[in-house]
Amino acid sequence: MASFFDLQPLTDVVVKIQLLATAQVPAVSTDAWLAALGVAVAGAVVGWRLARRFTVPFDADRYFPLTEPEEEHIHGAFAMCEQIKDHTTRCYFKGRIREMVRVQPICDADEFAKMSEDLRAEVDDCVHFGTCFRYAGPAVKWDISRLPPGPPPLYAGYEMVKDLKRMHRVLCRFSRQYGKVFPMQLEGNPLWVVVSGAKEAKAIFHDNGATVSSRAFGQAHLIAHTDFPSGNFLRCPFSEDLKKRRGVCWREALSKQKVELFRPILEHCRHISLRSFLCAADTGEAFLPRPFLRMSYLNTLACILFGISFADVDDPEYRRVYSFVDGEASEDLAGAADILPILRLTPLHTQKAERMKGIRAREDAWLHERIGERRRHLADGGEPQTLCDILLGTLESPCPGQRLSYENVKEICNEIIFAGTDTTATTTETVLAHLLNNPDKAEALREELDAVLGDGARLPTAADFSHLPYLNACIREAMRLTCAVPFNGHACSEDTEVLGYRIPKGAMCINNIYAVHYDPEIYPEPDKFLPERWLDKDPCRWSVENDFEFMPFGIGRRLCIGYNLALENIQLFVASLFSSFRFSTEGGRPVSTDEIMEFTVSLPEFKVLAEVREGSALALRRKEIAELPTLELQRLGVSRSEEHAAATPATHVAPAAGQRWAVWYASQMGTAETFALAVARMARRRGVECRVRDLVKATASGLCPDGESAAILLVATYGSGEPTDSALDFWKRLQSGNIAVHSTRYAVFGLGNSSYEHYNAMGRQVDARLEALGGLRLEDVPLGLGDASMDLDAAFDDWLRALLARHAPAAEAVKAPPMDAGAGVAYHSCGAWRVRWQAKATAPRQLPKADGVVAVAAGVRELTRRPEISGSVVEVDLDFSGHGLTYETADTIAVLPRNDPRCVEMFGAALNQPLDAEFTLEATGNKATELPFPCPTTLREVLASAVDLLGRPSRQVVTELAQHCGDAAERERLLHLAGAGGKGDWEDLAAKGRLSLLEIFGQYPSLAAMPLAAFVELVPQVRLRPRHYTASSCPAVVGEGRALLTVKVLPARAVDCNGVLARFGGVASSYLAGLCPGDELRVFSQPSNFALPADPATPVIMIAAGTGIAPFRGFLQQRRLMLKQGVLLGRAMLFFGCTRSDVDFICEDELARHLREGSLSDLVTAFSREDSQRKVYVQHRLQEQAATLRELILSFGGHVYVCGGTAMGRAAKEAVTGALLREAQCDAEQYVSEMERERRYVAELWA
């Protein structure tokens, strides 16, 4: 509606009418338009009068009393709040601040700082963007230029208010007229973007969940819930703190495996529910089922949470608790006030808000009582018996990522019991109503139940649900027709580009579930109750997270966290009621399905007659069920699926006779080694003995030194088509024929990158040379070529599949030996390793031994002028003097990085293993096996130094992980992702950078069931590899024990793991940039192809972009030293490119000094973003200097060095070749190739 707080309300109404006159609006009667105009004019006048007459409805000091120290502590935060114009929003944020002060004593300093930062960002949004909770008057101009047209605001507001109890139907009507995505502007609210299609919902809410996941309730909700803590799952914005709470709550209490723990409680409550229905049925009169259903579900949730049970609907304690649930659901004026802002100033609304505060106060008092009882139980040494006990156990967690505060626990309990009761009761009532209207469907359901349960032998249990497809189909169809929550809103935290639309920051994206559920393209005859439509879709399998055509539990990161518990609850009660009773209505009258929307969407109340079915379990056990059962809480142990997994013995594959492979790798960055380990791992499973070796260990005796039957080689190409450092000697022997490979059976897989000129040169040459020397290529296994610029994993998978299928047929599996046990230790074995936990630390925890030497950070300094624009580039000064490490100018310094401690905490929580308990590894086989990391150690140290948590694992690793998913549905999804059918999804996730090991564990929570021994076995394939940097220093200048590195710090990205969100940059670059003076790290050196000409008088042409300048900084230092020593130097030209001279021209002062002193003769710069009319790159400057290049190269034998990205490298080579083409006597391409062979043209490039 119009903004009634303006001083020109009538003018605003006239503008709205003018907009309506030009808009395409459905035909509406004259009376309706007059009513709309009357409402607008009357509202304007009354609003202006009320604004003058009434004071604001809430006083911040009254509702948020603060002590003097508290007020002083948060003075700055309150000052920010005062900038918010709308009083209601100001009150809300002051409440949030008060809540923060309350939880501060039980928060980590980092947690509290993060909460403060999140709150500051929200307040800033309210002040500057009019988003989230601020009253968005006409001054807020939403950019909807890249959104399709939607209904005019006045018309939309009129339609919504006119049919307030059926707003979901109004949105559905709008979607039929304006399309599946359209904006809706209701003044006094953020912009609504209504999404009414399955594909559109997936793209916006699922694929862009990182930006479309916050919550922005209307003003009325804030008034009604002014004192709601920020920990409330439903009402608070989506923040890192909320994600942590959701993740812990899911992992510890509400995953499918954890819900199994509560099945005895569910069956106890089922007994009470049947008893209540039996008492009502015995009266012979029609009764309302809704009170009994609400009592059943409220009883179940209270029992699961706190271990308390209600006898029936007349139980005083039940009536006390139900008053909270019913009271909160019935105060529904908030919805009207969101659409009609004028209502926020009326006494009627403020009185309702006061009542809501009273309800909330009573809720809090009851929750404090119940939680206090459970805390005392645990304090007295009691075992955990309820969900609340599990949540309270996290208060003492040593891991911050697994720790909740008391307020978190209270609000989680509040959400589960008060939000869960109404939705599950409404859904069950809906199932009952639709089956009453379709007696043939009800009879089909009873027949199915009888067939599965037998002739009254028993009541249904959770184990039966997978064998009851028609039951699941009936529940699905009822949820589709009458979805308890027909639409929900996710606010955009930033501008979002999706499906060609641009959704502005702060807009509320409305997921119109009702419209999707009634889409005739998805569901033919959508208005009919047809459970049969689900029978060919495996109705027993509820893929809640990935079914975008059926969304009763929501979508994306706001997906209902308790859906596992809700589903099992509904399935149990519906199956029990229909197996026990025959329901009907008085006179056979149909039940009205004209749903209305209050707290949830429900049907009008109706009465039923219930008759106990003859021969049912209820009839046979009538006397037993008529008695009130006694609740006996038991210790919550492992779930049944976990027990089954623990009881299933591990298997080993019997070795196949005569099958032994030597698996060799030539790796520069570690990928070839990872693939070699994958070959060995998969082959061992098929009974083939394997030994993995680096090609640096190859000798003239051949590739099968221990008499192996075949040699498998995984060979990477490095630089300009050259062998890796470890394969240099092997390649020389192969070229000279000084290696015994005649009759050796072999297979080769090459690793390369087609963006480089010499793509997969070494793989091709090794394969050809082995064949030329008499080697025998394995049958049906051609040379494999993997392209890192495309899908390297897929190419390797295809090659490995062919190798194994032809030459390693699977052998018979045999049981593994039993696990050992000893005093003070615990064992767990899986595959090659047995994990032996130490009762106490046996050795001091030290930095594990690894390659390289210990270096000390001497300093880190920023090199760019504007890192906030171009990103950060830092110079890292390392001191390793006294450790014997040497290097030459422009050699490579390899750094062994460590993962961010926050990342380690998150992964440790996802793996569900203790981080600081010490363990060691013991091989399960008799043969000596190299440890994947030094032992004894802790999981924290392993994750910090040995596992690439933020790197993308190979498909083989993901396939292996899938075998350890505790949830069958997750296992299938993960196998699909890693298989050929999931190639598109894999590539999409890889392109978005969302395929890290940490994110996979977050997206598939049941991987927490993975044994540590199984994870350990994967460590070599997900190893955290050294990162290589070209030294930016000359050791003769900075000192033999010093080195400078030039490091581009990769930008941080958001990583989500089990609902916990954090931002991480590049593993190594962030690690190096975060070093403080005195910090220790491990480094080693490797020779590079860069070296100044032996004759100092030889001209030098250096070409670089960005951090490609690194080796040339060392070159210029060395030339400066030689100049001081009186050495005659040749001309030195440096072509350097970056974006802008005032932003990322790194080392400008340093280069200017070299120019002044003569160590650099010419500096030619190319700034690609300096001139808005033309982008200038280094190749353009090379073309301009073609004559100079020709002279220096052809006449004076100049050397050319190129360092930077592959695209720049190719363009630079073309420019140099083009410069030489102008010399008629020179075959330019042949000449440059000759320069490469003579090391006069050297390029070090990266993709």
Side-chain angles (χ1 to χ4, degrees):
M1 297 298 292
S3 176
F4 301 118
F5 300 98
D6 296 336
L7 295 178
Q8 299 176 340
L10 292 177
T11 302
D12 193 57
V13 171
V14 171
V15 172
K16 300 301 179 184
I17 298 298
Q18 290 174 344
L19 288 175
L20 287 170
T22 59
Q24 295 182 358
V25 181
V28 180
S29 67
T30 304
D31 291 342
W33 281 114
L34 289 175
L37 180 59
V39 169
V41 174
V45 175
V46 173
W48 179 69
R49 293 286 302 273
L50 289 175
R52 297 187 59 186
R53 180 175 179 182
F54 288 100
T55 58
V56 291
F58 288 104
D59 177 19
D61 294 331
R62 174 184 173 190
Y63 288 99
F64 305 115
L66 295 168
T67 63
E68 189 172 335
E70 288 174 340
E71 189 163 356
E72 182 179 349
H73 178 73
I74 56 175
H75 177 75
F78 265 107
M80 284 189 65
C81 289
E82 292 302 329
Q83 300 176 49
I84 301 174
K85 296 179 181 179
D86 182 59
H87 178 78
T88 304
T89 310
R90 203 159 54 242
C91 286
Y92 168 77
F93 279 111
K94 287 186 177 181
R96 288 279 302 279
I97 295 168
R98 173 179 176 272
E99 183 68 20
M100 285 176 53
V101 173
R102 289 172 59 188
V103 302
Q104 183 186 16
I106 51 178
C107 278
D108 285 346
D110 291 343
E111 283 185 285
F112 191 76
K114 182 57 181 173
M115 289 167 62
S116 302
E117 181 183 338
D118 289 344
L119 182 61
R120 184 178 294 270
E122 289 179 45
V123 173
D124 188 61
D125 280 351
C126 287
V127 172
H128 293 96
F129 295 100
T131 59
C132 295
F133 305 111
R134 180 186 169 203
Y135 173 74
V140 178
K141 302 297 182 183
W142 294 96
D143 180 9
I144 58 173
S145 58
R146 288 182 56 188
L147 287 170
L154 183 60
Y155 167 66
Y158 165 74
E159 287 292 311
M160 296 284 277
V161 172
K162 183 184 73 170
D163 212 356
L164 193 62
K165 295 287 188 180
R166 295 173 180 82
M167 281 195 291
H168 54 295
R169 293 188 179 183
V170 176
L171 292 178
C172 198
R173 291 201 302 270
F174 284 163
S175 71
R176 287 194 290 269
Q177 181 184 358
Y178 297 101
K180 294 189 175 180
V181 177
F182 63 87
M184 206 164 77
Q185 300 187 70
L186 300 172
E187 295 197 29
N189 288 278
L191 172 71
W192 285 19
V193 178
V194 182
V195 183
S196 304
K199 294 180 181 178
E200 292 77 8
K202 176 182 183 296
I204 293 174
F205 299 102
H206 183 270
D207 299 344
N208 287 275
T211 58
V212 188
S213 58
S214 194
R215 186 74 92 211
F217 271 73
Q219 297 288 350
H221 283 284
L222 297 179
I223 294 178
H225 302 291
T226 307
D227 200 24
F228 252 82
S230 59
N232 187 282
F233 274 12
L234 290 179
R235 296 170 175 83
C236 70
F238 205 77
S239 63
E240 187 167 332
D241 187 49
L242 174 62
K243 291 173 186 176
K244 181 191 77 171
R245 294 195 301 276
R246 284 177 62 96
V248 174
C249 188
W250 168 267
R251 185 171 55 253
E252 299 296 331
L254 292 175
S255 67
K256 189 172 181 61
Q257 290 77 19
K258 297 299 182 182
V259 167
E260 292 178 11
L261 302 175
F262 305 115
R263 284 177 179 170
I265 295 178
L266 289 176
E267 292 176 6
H268 164 87
C269 295
R270 186 257 308 271
H271 185 148
I272 295 177
S273 178
L274 289 177
R275 176 177 175 270
S276 298
F277 272 87
L278 180 60
C279 293
D282 284 345
T283 65
E285 297 179 359
F287 62 93
L288 295 171
R290 182 173 297 176
F292 296 101
L293 291 173
R294 286 187 170 176
M295 189 280 294
S296 299
Y297 288 111
L298 182 54
N299 184 45
T300 302
L301 295 175
C303 200
I304 288 173
L305 276 170
F306 305 120
I308 62 172
S309 182
F310 310 125
D312 51 38
V313 292
D314 296 319
D315 188 312
E317 184 67 5
Y318 166 73
R319 298 183 71 83
R320 176 191 176 194
V321 179
Y322 181 67
S323 67
F324 313 149
V325 179
D326 186 56
E328 192 167 331
S330 63
E331 300 289 357
D332 60 344
L333 182 62
D338 287 338
I339 308 303
L340 200 61
I342 186 64
L343 296 177
R344 299 171 190 166
L345 292 179
T346 64
L348 178 63
H349 188 274
T350 56
Q351 290 167 10
K352 289 212 170 202
E354 291 285 359
R355 288 198 296 272
M356 282 299 298
K357 289 189 65 65
I359 291 170
R360 177 62 189 180
R362 294 196 300 275
E363 283 180 17
D364 271 355
W366 184 78
L367 287 169
H368 283 303
E369 290 176 19
R370 301 284 77 80
I371 297 173
E373 290 173 359
R374 301 315 305 172
R375 293 189 83 171
R376 288 191 292 274
H377 166 79
L378 296 175
D380 292 340
E383 298 284 357
Q385 299 171 326
T386 67
L387 192 153
C388 183
D389 294 349
I390 295 176
L391 296 175
L392 288 171
T394 66
L395 299 181
E396 307 300 327
S397 173
C399 173
Q402 293 180 301
R403 190 184 309 139
L404 297 176
S405 70
Y406 176 81
E407 288 296 324
N408 296 156
V409 172
K410 180 171 68 69
E411 287 307 312
I412 290 170
C413 293
N414 173 77
E415 293 299 338
I416 291 173
I417 200 165
F418 295 112
T421 297
D422 198 68
T423 51
T424 48
T426 297
T427 300
T428 306
E429 185 182 42
T430 300
V431 176
L432 177 58
H434 286 293
L435 288 173
L436 283 169
N437 287 345
N438 296 270
D440 56 325
K441 315 293 186 189
E443 189 58 35
L445 173 58
R446 281 190 285 266
E447 289 175 1
E448 180 184 72
L449 289 166
D450 290 344
V452 172
L453 302 178
D455 297 330
R458 60 186 178 84
L459 289 166
T461 65
D464 298 318
F465 300 153
S466 60
H467 306 293
L468 295 168
Y470 202 76
L471 167 74
N472 286 280
C474 288
I475 295 172
R476 284 174 177 269
E477 184 69 351
M479 284 180 165
R480 181 190 70 81
L481 283 168
T482 311
C483 185
V485 182
F487 62 86
N488 50 42
H490 298 203
C492 280
S493 57
E494 59 185 61
D495 291 345
T496 302
E497 302 272 349
V498 57
L499 298 175
Y501 306 125
R502 180 180 178 276
I503 303 174
K505 176 179 179 180
M508 175 79 87
C509 293
I510 303 296
N511 183 24
N512 193 0
I513 300 170
Y514 184 85
V516 176
H517 286 187
Y518 277 79
D519 188 340
E521 295 179 4
I522 302 173
Y523 303 104
E525 299 182 281
D527 295 319
K528 292 185 178 181
F529 180 77
L530 298 173
E532 291 76 13
R533 73 171 86 239
W534 298 96
L535 294 180
D536 60 348
K537 300 180 181 180
D538 190 8
C540 298
R541 181 184 174 190
W542 291 75
S543 300
V544 172
E545 298 94 335
N546 293 299
D547 190 345
F548 307 106
E549 296 178 353
F550 181 62
M551 300 175 284
F553 296 101
I555 189 174
R557 300 190 182 193
R558 287 285 182 175
L559 184 75
C560 173
I561 195 172
Y563 73 84
N564 281 313
L565 181 59
L567 263 181
E568 190 148 322
N569 223 342
I570 293 168
Q571 288 168 326
L572 185 67
F573 278 82
V574 172
S576 300
L577 289 175
F578 278 87
S579 65
S580 303
F581 296 96
R582 190 178 299 276
F583 294 101
S584 61
T585 59
E586 288 183 302
R589 290 190 297 272
V591 175
S592 171
T593 56
D594 186 21
E595 72 272 359
I596 57 174
M597 191 173 80
E598 293 177 328
F599 184 72
T600 57
V601 166
S602 59
L603 304 178
E605 276 202 280
F606 57 90
K607 289 186 176 183
V608 299
L609 291 164
E611 178 187 353
V612 178
R613 295 182 66 208
E614 293 184 8
S616 66
L618 177 59
L620 297 175
R621 299 166 53 189
R622 188 184 187 102
K623 184 176 180 180
E624 174 191 343
I625 292 177
E627 296 178 359
L628 187 65
T630 302
L631 176 63
E632 295 182 1
L633 294 177
Q634 299 177 351
R635 181 184 184 277
L636 295 177
V638 297
S639 65
R640 294 176 191 177
S641 61
E642 292 169 327
E643 288 175 352
H644 174 73
T648 303
T651 60
H652 294 282
V653 178
Q659 285 284 357
R660 293 170 59 212
W661 291 352
V663 183
W664 299 90
Y665 65 87
S667 184
Q668 193 73 19
M669 299 299 179
T671 307
E673 181 185 358
T674 298
F675 283 1
L677 292 165
V679 170
R681 183 177 179 81
M682 298 303 291
R684 285 175 185 140
R685 289 186 170 182
R686 292 170 172 253
V688 180
E689 292 187 25
C690 293
R691 180 104 183 252
V692 180
R693 302 178 178 92
D694 192 330
L695 271 173
V696 73
K697 299 178 181 178
T699 65
S701 62
L703 294 175
C704 298
D706 296 330
E708 291 91 347
S709 58
I712 313 298
L713 295 91
L714 296 106
V715 182
T717 299
Y718 179 62
S720 301
E722 299 161 346
T724 62
D725 294 340
S726 64
L728 282 170
D729 290 341
F730 164 75
W731 179 235
K732 290 177 183 177
R733 288 194 182 95
L734 205 59
Q735 285 181 303
S736 64
N738 185 26
I739 185 170
V741 293
H742 189 272
S743 299
T744 297
R745 300 171 70 237
Y746 74 91
V748 177
F749 183 82
L751 294 85
N753 190 316
S754 59
S755 62
Y756 289 85
E757 181 179 0
H758 303 281
Y759 167 60
N760 247 319
M762 287 311 301
R764 299 174 192 270
Q765 293 176 33
V766 167
D767 180 75
R769 191 62 185 152
L770 286 172
E771 184 179 29
L773 293 176
L776 305 174
R777 188 181 289 108
L778 289 177
E779 298 85 353
D780 300 326
V781 187
L783 168 67
L785 297 176
D787 186 356
S789 70
M790 301 294 287
D791 194 338
L792 181 62
D793 282 343
F796 175 67
D797 279 346
D798 293 342
W799 177 83
L800 179 58
R801 194 177 297 111
L803 171 67
L804 296 176
R806 181 67 176 83
H807 297 283
E812 182 182 358
V814 296
K815 288 187 178 179
M819 292 189 295
D820 300 324
V825 296
Y827 291 89
H828 188 275
S829 65
C830 183
W833 297 107
R834 178 187 296 114
V835 174
R836 182 177 185 270
W837 294 101
Q838 304 290 344
K840 58 181 180 179
T842 58
R845 298 193 182 110
Q846 300 174 347
L847 193 68
K849 294 181 179 179
D851 294 332
V853 301
V854 175
V856 176
V860 177
R861 70 183 180 98
E862 179 63 49
L863 295 179
T864 60
R865 288 192 176 93
R866 303 286 297 280
E868 71 279 5
I869 297 177
S870 63
S872 175
V873 177
V874 297
E875 178 188 84
V876 183
D877 188 352
L878 300 178
D879 183 354
F880 40 81
S881 54
H883 290 283
L885 180 66
T886 61
Y887 73 101
E888 299 296 330
T889 302
D891 272 356
T892 296
I893 303 296
V895 175
L896 280 75
R898 293 177 68 86
N899 284 306
D900 189 308
R902 297 174 300 145
C903 186
V904 172
E905 292 283 356
M906 290 169 67
F907 193 84
L911 192 57
N912 199 26
Q913 296 284 351
L915 284 173
D916 296 310
E918 193 169 276
F919 68 91
T920 189
L921 297 180
E922 298 173 357
T924 57
N926 295 325
K927 293 189 177 181
T929 305
E930 185 178 353
L931 289 169
F933 43 79
C935 288
T937 187
T938 63
L939 183 58
R940 184 183 300 278
E941 181 60 31
V942 171
L943 296 178
S945 62
V947 182
D948 193 355
L949 300 178
L950 295 176
R952 187 176 76 197
S954 67
R955 279 195 171 92
Q956 298 78 34
V957 170
V958 174
T959 301
E960 176 66 24
L961 289 174
Q963 309 306 321
H964 298 283
C965 278
D967 181 78
E970 287 190 7
R971 184 185 310 115
E972 290 179 16
R973 285 168 45 212
L974 202 52
L975 286 172
H976 171 77
L977 178 65
K983 183 178 179 181
D985 293 336
W986 179 279
E987 291 175 350
D988 182 53
L989 289 172
K992 294 177 180 178
R994 296 178 182 172
L995 257 182
S996 68
L997 195 65
L998 179 62
E999 286 165 305
I1000 288 174
F1001 269 75
Q1003 294 164 15
Y1004 300 87
S1006 68
L1007 281 173
M1010 185 178 192
L1012 181 58
F1015 179 76
V1016 163
E1017 198 166 3
L1018 286 176
V1019 166
Q1021 297 183 62
V1022 292
R1023 188 175 299 282
L1024 185 59
R1025 304 289 176 182
R1027 302 307 201 261
H1028 298 79
Y1029 299 93
T1030 304
S1032 300
S1033 52
C1034 170
V1037 174
V1038 300
E1040 292 296 332
R1042 295 284 289 274
L1044 302 179
L1045 306 182
T1046 304
V1047 179
K1048 170 70 174 178
V1049 182
L1050 298 183
R1053 67 179 183 90
V1055 175
D1056 188 353
C1057 179
N1058 273 341
V1060 181
L1061 187 70
R1063 297 185 65 83
F1064 299 107
V1067 175
S1069 60
S1070 297
Y1071 172 62
L1072 290 171
L1075 291 173
C1076 297
D1079 286 351
E1080 292 186 348
L1081 66 160
R1082 284 191 169 271
V1083 300
F1084 59 91
S1085 65
Q1086 290 180 333
S1088 77
N1089 294 323
F1090 277 144
L1092 284 171
D1095 182 1
T1098 302
V1100 175
I1101 301 164
M1102 299 168 284
I1103 306 168
T1107 54
I1109 198 174
F1112 307 137
R1113 295 181 66 197
F1115 276 9
L1116 294 174
Q1117 289 176 18
Q1118 186 172 342
R1119 284 173 58 88
R1120 182 185 178 201
L1121 178 63
M1122 290 189 291
L1123 196 64
K1124 287 183 178 180
Q1125 295 171 346
V1127 177
L1128 180 63
L1129 300 179
R1131 186 172 178 177
M1133 296 186 73
L1134 172 61
F1135 293 83
F1136 176 71
C1138 60
T1139 60
R1140 286 167 46 185
S1141 58
D1142 61 339
V1143 173
D1144 58 345
F1145 188 1
I1146 61 176
C1147 308
E1148 181 181 8
D1149 295 339
E1150 179 181 329
L1151 296 176
R1153 185 173 66 253
H1154 285 299
L1155 280 171
R1156 290 194 304 270
E1157 296 178 354
S1159 47
L1160 177 63
S1161 310
D1162 305 270
L1163 174 61
V1164 184
T1165 55
F1167 303 117
S1168 61
R1169 300 296 186 273
E1170 195 99 306
D1171 185 350
S1172 61
Q1173 303 299 318
R1174 177 172 177 252
K1175 295 179 180 179
V1176 180
Y1177 297 103
V1178 289
Q1179 60 264 32
H1180 300 137
R1181 298 304 190 203
L1182 289 167
Q1183 293 164 359
E1184 294 169 2
Q1185 299 287 329
T1188 304
L1189 293 175
R1190 222 172 21 251
E1191 180 184 14
L1192 292 177
I1193 294 173
L1194 297 178
S1195 302
F1196 297 98
H1199 286 215
V1200 179
Y1201 303 90
V1202 186
C1203 189
T1206 52
M1208 184 277 291
R1210 282 196 303 269
K1213 188 173 183 179
E1214 290 173 1
V1216 172
T1217 305
L1220 299 182
L1221 275 173
R1222 300 185 185 182
E1223 182 64 39
Q1225 293 77 23
C1226 174
D1227 184 335
E1229 292 186 3
Q1230 182 179 349
Y1231 191 88
V1232 172
S1233 297
E1234 187 65 28
M1235 289 178 67
E1236 288 179 323
R1237 285 193 292 273
E1238 295 175 354
R1239 301 282 182 179
R1240 289 177 53 209
Y1241 189 105
V1242 182
E1244 187 172 286
L1245 309 173
W1246 54 83

